[in-house]
Amino acid sequence: MLRTMVALYRDGHEPTRRADRQASVPLIWRTMLEIDRAVVASVGKLTVTGSVPHELRNKPLVMAANHIGVFDALVLMKACYSIGIAPRFMLAGGLLDTPVLGWALRESGHLRVERGKATVLESFANAVEAIKHADAPLLVYPEGRITHDPGMWPERGKTGVARIALAANAPVIPISQWGAHEAAYWGTETVTGWNDVKPVLTSFLRALRQRPSFKVHFGDPVDLSDLSAAKPGDAVRAHKRIMQAITDNLVALRPDEPDLPKFHDPTRPTDTVSPWRDRWTGTP
């Protein structure tokens, strides 16, 4: 079982309690977190703000983050590491089925979701049970994919995360992030040859030289206390609150980029419009 890792890593003044709360995180996941910490540090500088209240740790908890690039999961891993948490991720089945990496992720305790398939309901049911019986948070992307909004604001997303949180009676911590999209281009949905890999690799090598800034903010828990999994429409209401919290906190992370991002990725699709940023633009 993947558990919260108290004092996994400390930034400066954070107290450690290794002596009385030794974490039992799988060795393979600890190793991956250590490697990730070094990789992210080599690419850019990470700034983490906010945290997860101690009273919510070691209890059922859902963490919901915006999705901005192929590198952002690595940034989120290090951000969680820096505040002493080793979360489970809810990952696409295709990733968990890849050689070597898929085995490592499965051994680390991450959960599978088969998007667009009949088994998606089973995936969510498994997630609910996993949250109820685990003391590590589940980290999920409510959007389900890297945003296609031109300004890189959160997409509409789906209600799956909200449904999981309500069914498990678990609080939700919104996570907003910015900057990870500068580490590598979006690329393509399907890799068929070198021409598909080249843009991602060259943009990553450029990031190694330019060292972009990564920002991650852990927001206050989203208030879902008046909502219920059994009440029709409450999952939609919960989803709206979660997505709006992510968006609201994202505003402060990108004050100089209120509209389009300064970093231009020519490979990323821009065919959707975020419904959550309306309150910041004055759109009715």
Side-chain angles (χ1 to χ4, degrees), residues 75-150:
V75 172
L76 288 176
M77 286 168 60
K78 184 178 180 184
C80 289
Y81 190 106
S82 73
I83 64 169
I85 287 178
R88 296 177 186 228
F89 280 77
M90 197 163 190
L91 303 172
L95 182 60
L96 291 172
D97 291 335
T98 57
V100 185
L101 177 60
W103 170 84
L105 292 172
R106 294 193 304 271
E107 290 296 307
S108 297
H110 301 293
L111 305 183
R112 172 188 298 266
V113 59
E114 301 286 358
R115 296 189 180 94
K117 298 183 179 181
T119 55
V120 69
L121 294 179
E122 180 182 351
S123 298
F124 287 137
N126 291 339
V128 171
E129 290 305 310
I131 294 173
K132 287 181 178 179
H133 297 96
D135 55 8
L138 177 67
L139 200 158
V140 188
Y141 291 113
E143 297 166 89
R145 68 178 185 181
I146 295 169
T147 178
H148 288 197
D149 176 75

Coordinates of all heavy atoms in Angstrom, one line a residue, residues 75-150:
V75 N 6.8 17.3 -12.4 CA 6.9 18.5 -11.5 C 5.9 18.3 -10.3 O 6.3 18.6 -9.2 CB 6.4 19.8 -12.3 CG1 6.3 21.0 -11.3 CG2 7.5 20.1 -13.4
L76 N 4.8 17.7 -10.5 CA 3.8 17.5 -9.4 C 4.4 16.5 -8.4 O 4.2 16.6 -7.2 CB 2.5 16.9 -10.0 CG 1.6 18.0 -10.7 CD1 0.4 17.3 -11.2 CD2 1.2 19.1 -9.7
M77 N 5.1 15.5 -9.0 CA 5.8 14.5 -8.1 C 6.7 15.2 -7.1 O 6.7 14.9 -5.9 CB 6.5 13.4 -8.9 CG 5.6 12.4 -9.6 SD 6.4 11.4 -10.8 CE 7.7 10.6 -9.8
K78 N 7.6 16.0 -7.7 CA 8.6 16.7 -6.8 C 7.9 17.7 -5.9 O 8.3 17.8 -4.7 CB 9.6 17.4 -7.7 CG 10.7 18.1 -6.8 CD 11.8 18.8 -7.6 CE 12.8 19.3 -6.6 NZ 13.8 20.1 -7.3
A79 N 6.8 18.4 -6.3 CA 6.1 19.3 -5.5 C 5.5 18.5 -4.3 O 5.6 19.0 -3.1 CB 5.0 20.0 -6.2
C80 N 4.9 17.4 -4.5 CA 4.4 16.6 -3.4 C 5.5 16.1 -2.5 O 5.3 16.1 -1.3 CB 3.6 15.4 -4.0 SG 2.0 15.8 -4.8
Y81 N 6.6 15.7 -3.1 CA 7.7 15.2 -2.4 C 8.2 16.3 -1.4 O 8.6 16.0 -0.3 CB 8.8 14.9 -3.4 CG 10.0 14.2 -2.9 CD1 10.2 12.8 -3.2 CD2 11.0 14.8 -2.2 CE1 11.4 12.2 -2.8 CE2 12.2 14.2 -1.7 CZ 12.4 12.8 -2.0 OH 13.5 12.2 -1.6
S82 N 8.2 17.6 -1.9 CA 8.7 18.7 -1.1 C 7.9 19.0 0.1 O 8.4 19.6 1.1 CB 8.9 19.9 -2.0 OG 7.6 20.5 -2.2
I83 N 6.6 18.6 0.1 CA 5.7 18.8 1.3 C 5.5 17.5 2.1 O 4.7 17.5 3.0 CB 4.4 19.5 0.9 CG1 3.5 18.6 0.0 CG2 4.6 20.8 0.2 CD1 2.1 19.0 -0.2
G84 N 6.2 16.5 1.7 CA 6.2 15.2 2.5 C 5.1 14.3 2.1 O 4.5 13.6 3.0
I85 N 4.7 14.3 0.8 CA 3.6 13.4 0.4 C 4.0 12.6 -0.8 O 4.6 13.1 -1.7 CB 2.3 14.2 0.1 CG1 1.7 14.7 1.4 CG2 1.3 13.4 -0.7 CD1 0.5 15.6 1.2
A86 N 3.6 11.3 -0.8 CA 3.9 10.4 -1.9 C 2.5 9.9 -2.4 O 2.0 8.9 -1.9 CB 4.8 9.2 -1.5
P87 N 1.9 10.6 -3.3 CA 0.5 10.3 -3.7 C 0.4 9.1 -4.7 O 1.4 8.8 -5.4 CB 0.0 11.6 -4.4 CG 1.3 12.1 -5.1 CD 2.4 11.8 -4.1
R88 N -0.7 8.5 -4.8 CA -1.0 7.6 -6.0 C -1.5 8.5 -7.1 O -2.1 9.5 -6.9 CB -2.1 6.7 -5.6 CG -1.9 5.7 -4.5 CD -3.1 4.9 -4.3 NE -3.0 4.0 -3.1 CZ -3.3 2.7 -3.1 NH1 -3.7 2.1 -4.2 NH2 -3.1 2.0 -2.1
F89 N -1.2 8.1 -8.3 CA -1.8 8.8 -9.5 C -2.8 7.9 -10.1 O -2.7 6.6 -10.1 CB -0.7 9.0 -10.5 CG 0.2 10.2 -10.2 CD1 1.2 10.2 -9.3 CD2 0.0 11.4 -10.9 CE1 2.0 11.3 -9.0 CE2 0.8 12.5 -10.7 CZ 1.8 12.5 -9.7
M90 N -3.8 8.4 -10.7 CA -4.8 7.7 -11.5 C -4.3 7.8 -13.0 O -4.3 9.0 -13.5 CB -6.2 8.2 -11.4 CG -7.2 7.2 -11.8 SD -8.9 7.7 -11.2 CE -9.8 6.2 -11.6
L91 N -3.9 6.7 -13.6 CA -3.2 6.8 -14.9 C -3.9 6.0 -15.9 O -4.6 5.0 -15.7 CB -1.8 6.2 -14.7 CG -0.9 6.9 -13.7 CD1 0.4 6.1 -13.5 CD2 -0.6 8.3 -14.0
A92 N -3.7 6.4 -17.2 CA -4.3 5.7 -18.3 C -3.7 4.3 -18.4 O -2.5 4.1 -18.2 CB -4.0 6.5 -19.6
G93 N -4.6 3.4 -18.8 CA -4.2 2.0 -18.8 C -3.0 1.8 -19.8 O -2.1 0.9 -19.5
G94 N -2.9 2.5 -20.9 CA -1.9 2.4 -21.8 C -0.5 2.6 -21.2 O 0.5 1.9 -21.5
L95 N -0.4 3.6 -20.3 CA 0.8 3.9 -19.6 C 1.3 2.8 -18.7 O 2.4 2.4 -18.6 CB 0.7 5.2 -18.9 CG 2.0 5.7 -18.2 CD1 3.1 6.0 -19.2 CD2 1.7 7.0 -17.4
L96 N 0.3 2.2 -18.0 CA 0.6 1.1 -17.1 C 0.9 -0.2 -17.8 O 1.5 -1.1 -17.1 CB -0.6 0.9 -16.1 CG -0.9 2.0 -15.1 CD1 -2.2 1.8 -14.4 CD2 0.2 2.2 -14.1
D97 N 0.6 -0.2 -19.0 CA 0.9 -1.5 -19.8 C 2.3 -1.4 -20.5 O 2.7 -2.3 -21.2 CB -0.2 -1.8 -20.8 CG -1.5 -2.2 -20.1 OD1 -1.4 -2.7 -19.0 OD2 -2.6 -1.9 -20.7
T98 N 3.0 -0.3 -20.5 CA 4.2 -0.1 -21.2 C 5.3 -1.0 -20.5 O 5.3 -1.2 -19.3 CB 4.7 1.3 -21.2 OG1 4.8 1.8 -19.9 CG2 3.7 2.2 -22.0
P99 N 6.3 -1.4 -21.3 CA 7.4 -2.2 -20.7 C 8.2 -1.4 -19.6 O 8.3 -0.2 -19.8 CB 8.2 -2.6 -21.9 CG 7.3 -2.5 -23.1 CD 6.4 -1.3 -22.7
V100 N 8.6 -2.0 -18.6 CA 9.5 -1.5 -17.6 C 8.8 -0.4 -16.8 O 8.5 -0.5 -15.6 CB 10.8 -0.9 -18.2 CG1 11.7 -0.5 -17.0 CG2 11.5 -2.0 -19.0
L101 N 8.5 0.8 -17.4 CA 7.8 1.9 -16.7 C 6.5 1.4 -16.2 O 6.1 1.7 -15.0 CB 7.7 3.1 -17.6 CG 7.0 4.3 -17.0 CD1 7.7 4.8 -15.8 CD2 6.8 5.4 -18.0
G102 N 5.7 0.7 -17.0 CA 4.4 0.3 -16.6 C 4.5 -0.6 -15.4 O 3.7 -0.5 -14.4
W103 N 5.5 -1.6 -15.4 CA 5.7 -2.4 -14.3 C 6.0 -1.7 -13.0 O 5.5 -1.9 -11.9 CB 6.8 -3.4 -14.6 CG 7.2 -4.2 -13.4 CD1 6.7 -5.4 -12.9 CD2 8.3 -3.9 -12.5 NE1 7.3 -5.8 -11.8 CE2 8.3 -4.9 -11.5 CE3 9.2 -2.8 -12.4 CZ2 9.2 -4.9 -10.4 CZ3 10.1 -2.8 -11.4 CH2 10.1 -3.8 -10.4
A104 N 6.9 -0.7 -13.1 CA 7.3 0.1 -12.0 C 6.1 0.9 -11.4 O 5.9 1.0 -10.2 CB 8.4 1.1 -12.4
L105 N 5.3 1.4 -12.3 CA 4.1 2.2 -11.8 C 3.1 1.3 -11.2 O 2.5 1.7 -10.1 CB 3.5 2.9 -13.0 CG 4.3 4.1 -13.6 CD1 3.7 4.6 -14.9 CD2 4.5 5.2 -12.6
R106 N 2.9 0.1 -11.7 CA 2.0 -0.8 -11.1 C 2.5 -1.3 -9.7 O 1.7 -1.3 -8.8 CB 1.8 -2.1 -12.0 CG 1.1 -1.8 -13.3 CD 0.6 -3.1 -14.0 NE 1.7 -4.0 -14.2 CZ 2.5 -4.1 -15.3 NH1 2.3 -3.1 -16.2 NH2 3.4 -5.0 -15.4
E107 N 3.8 -1.5 -9.6 CA 4.3 -1.9 -8.3 C 4.3 -0.8 -7.3 O 4.3 -1.0 -6.1 CB 5.8 -2.4 -8.5 CG 6.0 -3.7 -9.3 CD 5.4 -4.8 -8.5 OE1 5.7 -5.0 -7.3 OE2 4.5 -5.6 -9.1
S108 N 4.2 0.4 -7.8 CA 4.2 1.6 -6.9 C 2.8 1.8 -6.4 O 2.6 2.7 -5.5 CB 4.7 2.8 -7.7 OG 6.0 2.7 -8.0
G109 N 1.8 1.1 -6.9 CA 0.4 1.2 -6.4 C -0.5 2.2 -7.1 O -1.5 2.6 -6.6
H110 N -0.1 2.7 -8.3 CA -0.9 3.7 -9.0 C -2.1 3.0 -9.6 O -2.1 1.7 -9.8 CB -0.1 4.4 -10.1 CG 1.1 5.1 -9.5 ND1 0.9 6.2 -8.7 CD2 2.4 4.9 -9.6 CE1 2.1 6.6 -8.3 NE2 3.0 5.8 -8.8
L111 N -3.2 3.7 -9.8 CA -4.4 3.1 -10.3 C -4.7 3.3 -11.7 O -4.2 4.3 -12.3 CB -5.6 3.8 -9.5 CG -5.5 3.7 -7.9 CD1 -6.7 4.3 -7.3 CD2 -5.3 2.3 -7.5
R112 N -5.4 2.4 -12.3 CA -5.7 2.4 -13.7 C -7.1 3.0 -14.1 O -8.0 2.7 -13.3 CB -5.6 0.9 -14.2 CG -6.1 0.7 -15.7 CD -6.1 -0.8 -16.0 NE -4.9 -1.4 -15.8 CZ -4.0 -1.6 -16.8 NH1 -4.3 -1.2 -18.1 NH2 -2.8 -2.2 -16.6
V113 N -7.1 3.7 -15.1 CA -8.4 4.2 -15.7 C -8.4 4.0 -17.2 O -7.4 4.3 -17.9 CB -8.8 5.6 -15.3 CG1 -7.7 6.6 -15.9 CG2 -10.1 6.0 -15.9
E114 N -9.4 3.3 -17.7 CA -9.5 3.1 -19.2 C -10.5 4.1 -19.7 O -11.7 3.9 -19.7 CB -10.0 1.7 -19.5 CG -9.1 0.6 -18.9 CD -7.8 0.4 -19.6 OE1 -7.6 1.1 -20.6 OE2 -6.9 -0.4 -19.2
R115 N -10.0 5.2 -20.1 CA -10.9 6.3 -20.6 C -11.6 5.9 -21.9 O -11.0 5.3 -22.8 CB -10.1 7.6 -20.8 CG -9.4 8.1 -19.6 CD -8.8 9.5 -19.9 NE -8.2 10.1 -18.7 CZ -6.9 9.9 -18.4 NH1 -6.1 9.3 -19.2 NH2 -6.5 10.5 -17.3
G116 N -12.9 6.2 -21.9 CA -13.7 6.0 -23.1 C -14.1 4.5 -23.3 O -14.6 4.1 -24.3
K117 N -13.9 3.7 -22.2 CA -14.2 2.3 -22.4 C -15.3 1.9 -21.3 O -15.5 2.7 -20.3 CB -13.0 1.4 -22.2 CG -11.9 1.6 -23.3 CD -10.8 0.6 -23.1 CE -9.7 0.9 -24.2 NZ -8.6 -0.1 -24.1
A118 N -15.9 0.8 -21.5 CA -16.9 0.3 -20.6 C -16.4 0.1 -19.2 O -17.1 0.2 -18.2 CB -17.6 -0.9 -21.1
T119 N -15.1 -0.1 -19.1 CA -14.5 -0.4 -17.8 C -14.2 0.8 -16.9 O -13.7 0.7 -15.8 CB -13.1 -1.2 -18.0 OG1 -12.3 -0.4 -18.8 CG2 -13.4 -2.5 -18.6
V120 N -14.5 2.0 -17.5 CA -14.2 3.2 -16.7 C -15.0 3.3 -15.4 O -14.5 3.8 -14.4 CB -14.5 4.5 -17.6 CG1 -16.0 4.7 -17.8 CG2 -13.9 5.7 -17.0
L121 N -16.2 2.8 -15.4 CA -17.0 2.8 -14.2 C -16.3 1.9 -13.1 O -16.3 2.2 -11.9 CB -18.4 2.3 -14.4 CG -19.3 3.3 -15.3 CD1 -20.7 2.7 -15.5 CD2 -19.4 4.6 -14.7
E122 N -15.8 0.8 -13.6 CA -15.1 -0.1 -12.7 C -13.8 0.6 -12.1 O -13.5 0.4 -11.0 CB -14.7 -1.4 -13.4 CG -14.0 -2.4 -12.5 CD -13.6 -3.7 -13.3 OE1 -14.0 -3.8 -14.4 OE2 -12.8 -4.5 -12.7
S123 N -13.2 1.3 -13.0 CA -12.0 2.1 -12.6 C -12.3 3.0 -11.5 O -11.6 3.1 -10.5 CB -11.3 2.8 -13.8 OG -10.9 1.9 -14.8
F124 N -13.4 3.8 -11.6 CA -13.8 4.7 -10.6 C -14.2 4.0 -9.3 O -13.9 4.5 -8.2 CB -14.9 5.6 -11.1 CG -14.5 6.6 -12.1 CD1 -15.2 6.9 -13.2 CD2 -13.3 7.3 -11.9 CE1 -14.8 7.8 -14.2 CE2 -12.9 8.3 -12.8 CZ -13.6 8.5 -14.0
A125 N -14.9 2.9 -9.4 CA -15.2 2.1 -8.2 C -14.0 1.6 -7.5 O -13.9 1.7 -6.2 CB -16.1 0.9 -8.6
N126 N -13.0 1.2 -8.2 CA -11.8 0.7 -7.6 C -11.1 1.9 -6.9 O -10.4 1.7 -5.9 CB -10.8 0.1 -8.7 CG -11.4 -1.2 -9.2 OD1 -12.2 -1.9 -8.6 ND2 -10.9 -1.6 -10.4
A127 N -11.1 3.1 -7.5 CA -10.5 4.3 -7.0 C -11.1 4.6 -5.6 O -10.5 5.0 -4.7 CB -10.6 5.4 -7.9
V128 N -12.5 4.6 -5.6 CA -13.2 4.9 -4.4 C -12.8 3.9 -3.3 O -12.5 4.4 -2.1 CB -14.7 4.8 -4.6 CG1 -15.5 4.9 -3.3 CG2 -15.2 5.9 -5.5
E129 N -12.7 2.6 -3.5 CA -12.3 1.7 -2.5 C -10.9 1.9 -2.1 O -10.5 1.7 -0.9 CB -12.5 0.3 -3.1 CG -14.0 -0.1 -3.2 CD -14.7 0.0 -1.9 OE1 -14.3 -0.5 -0.8 OE2 -15.8 0.7 -1.9
A130 N -10.0 2.2 -3.1 CA -8.6 2.4 -2.8 C -8.4 3.6 -1.8 O -7.6 3.6 -0.9 CB -7.8 2.6 -4.0
I131 N -9.2 4.7 -2.1 CA -9.1 5.9 -1.2 C -9.6 5.6 0.2 O -9.0 6.0 1.2 CB -9.9 7.0 -1.8 CG1 -9.3 7.5 -3.2 CG2 -10.0 8.2 -0.9 CD1 -10.1 8.5 -3.9
K132 N -10.7 4.8 0.3 CA -11.2 4.5 1.6 C -10.3 3.7 2.5 O -10.3 3.9 3.7 CB -12.5 3.7 1.4 CG -13.7 4.5 0.9 CD -14.9 3.7 0.8 CE -16.2 4.4 0.3 NZ -17.4 3.6 0.2
H133 N -9.4 2.9 1.8 CA -8.6 2.0 2.6 C -7.1 2.4 2.6 O -6.3 1.7 3.1 CB -8.7 0.6 2.1 CG -10.1 0.0 2.3 ND1 -11.1 0.1 1.3 CD2 -10.7 -0.5 3.4 CE1 -12.2 -0.5 1.7 NE2 -12.0 -0.8 3.0
A134 N -6.8 3.6 2.0 CA -5.4 4.0 1.9 C -5.2 5.3 2.7 O -6.2 6.0 3.0 CB -5.0 4.3 0.5
D135 N -4.0 5.5 3.2 CA -3.7 6.8 3.9 C -2.8 7.7 3.0 O -2.1 8.5 3.5 CB -3.1 6.5 5.3 CG -1.9 5.7 5.2 OD1 -1.4 5.4 4.1 OD2 -1.4 5.3 6.3
A136 N -2.8 7.5 1.7 CA -2.1 8.3 0.8 C -3.2 8.9 -0.2 O -4.1 8.3 -0.5 CB -1.1 7.5 0.0
P137 N -3.0 10.2 -0.6 CA -4.0 10.8 -1.4 C -3.9 10.3 -2.8 O -2.9 9.7 -3.3 CB -3.5 12.3 -1.4 CG -2.1 12.3 -1.1 CD -1.9 11.1 -0.1
L138 N -5.0 10.4 -3.6 CA -5.1 10.1 -5.0 C -5.0 11.3 -5.8 O -5.8 12.3 -5.6 CB -6.4 9.3 -5.3 CG -6.6 9.0 -6.8 CD1 -5.6 7.9 -7.2 CD2 -8.1 8.5 -7.0
L139 N -4.0 11.4 -6.7 CA -3.8 12.6 -7.5 C -4.4 12.3 -8.9 O -4.0 11.4 -9.5 CB -2.4 13.0 -7.6 CG -2.1 14.4 -8.0 CD1 -0.7 14.9 -7.5 CD2 -2.2 14.7 -9.5
V140 N -5.3 13.2 -9.3 CA -6.0 13.0 -10.5 C -6.1 14.3 -11.4 O -6.1 15.4 -10.8 CB -7.5 12.5 -10.3 CG1 -8.2 12.1 -11.6 CG2 -7.5 11.4 -9.3
Y141 N -6.1 14.1 -12.7 CA -6.3 15.3 -13.6 C -7.7 15.3 -14.0 O -8.2 14.5 -14.8 CB -5.4 15.1 -14.9 CG -3.9 15.2 -14.7 CD1 -3.1 14.2 -14.9 CD2 -3.4 16.5 -14.4 CE1 -1.7 14.3 -14.8 CE2 -2.0 16.6 -14.3 CZ -1.2 15.5 -14.5 OH 0.2 15.6 -14.4
P142 N -8.5 16.2 -13.5 CA -10.0 16.3 -13.8 C -10.2 16.5 -15.3 O -11.2 16.1 -15.9 CB -10.5 17.5 -13.0 CG -9.5 17.6 -11.9 CD -8.2 17.2 -12.5
E143 N -9.3 17.2 -16.0 CA -9.4 17.4 -17.4 C -9.3 16.2 -18.3 O -9.8 16.1 -19.4 CB -8.4 18.5 -17.9 CG -8.6 19.8 -17.2 CD -7.4 20.7 -17.5 OE1 -7.4 21.5 -18.5 OE2 -6.5 20.7 -16.6
G144 N -8.5 15.2 -17.8 CA -8.3 14.0 -18.5 C -7.3 14.1 -19.6 O -6.9 13.0 -20.2
R145 N -6.8 15.3 -20.0 CA -5.8 15.4 -21.0 C -5.2 16.8 -20.8 O -5.7 17.6 -20.1 CB -6.4 15.3 -22.4 CG -7.4 16.5 -22.7 CD -7.9 16.4 -24.1 NE -8.7 17.6 -24.5 CZ -9.3 17.7 -25.7 NH1 -9.3 16.8 -26.6 NH2 -10.0 18.8 -25.9
I146 N -4.1 17.0 -21.5 CA -3.4 18.4 -21.5 C -4.4 19.3 -22.2 O -5.0 19.1 -23.2 CB -2.1 18.3 -22.3 CG1 -1.1 17.4 -21.6 CG2 -1.5 19.7 -22.4 CD1 0.1 17.1 -22.4
T147 N -4.6 20.5 -21.5 CA -5.6 21.5 -22.0 C -5.3 21.9 -23.5 O -4.2 22.1 -23.9 CB -5.6 22.7 -21.1 OG1 -6.5 23.6 -21.6 CG2 -4.2 23.4 -21.0
H148 N -6.4 22.0 -24.2 CA -6.4 22.5 -25.6 C -6.8 24.0 -25.6 O -6.9 24.5 -26.7 CB -7.3 21.7 -26.5 CG -6.8 20.3 -26.8 ND1 -7.3 19.6 -27.8 CD2 -5.8 19.6 -26.2 CE1 -6.7 18.4 -27.9 NE2 -5.8 18.4 -26.9
D149 N -7.1 24.6 -24.5 CA -7.4 26.0 -24.5 C -6.3 26.8 -24.9 O -5.1 26.6 -24.5 CB -7.8 26.4 -23.0 CG -8.2 27.9 -23.0 OD1 -9.2 28.3 -23.4 OD2 -7.3 28.7 -22.4
P150 N -6.5 27.8 -25.8 CA -5.4 28.6 -26.3 C -4.5 29.3 -25.3 O -3.3 29.4 -25.4 CB -6.1 29.7 -27.2 CG -7.3 29.0 -27.7 CD -7.7 28.2 -26.5

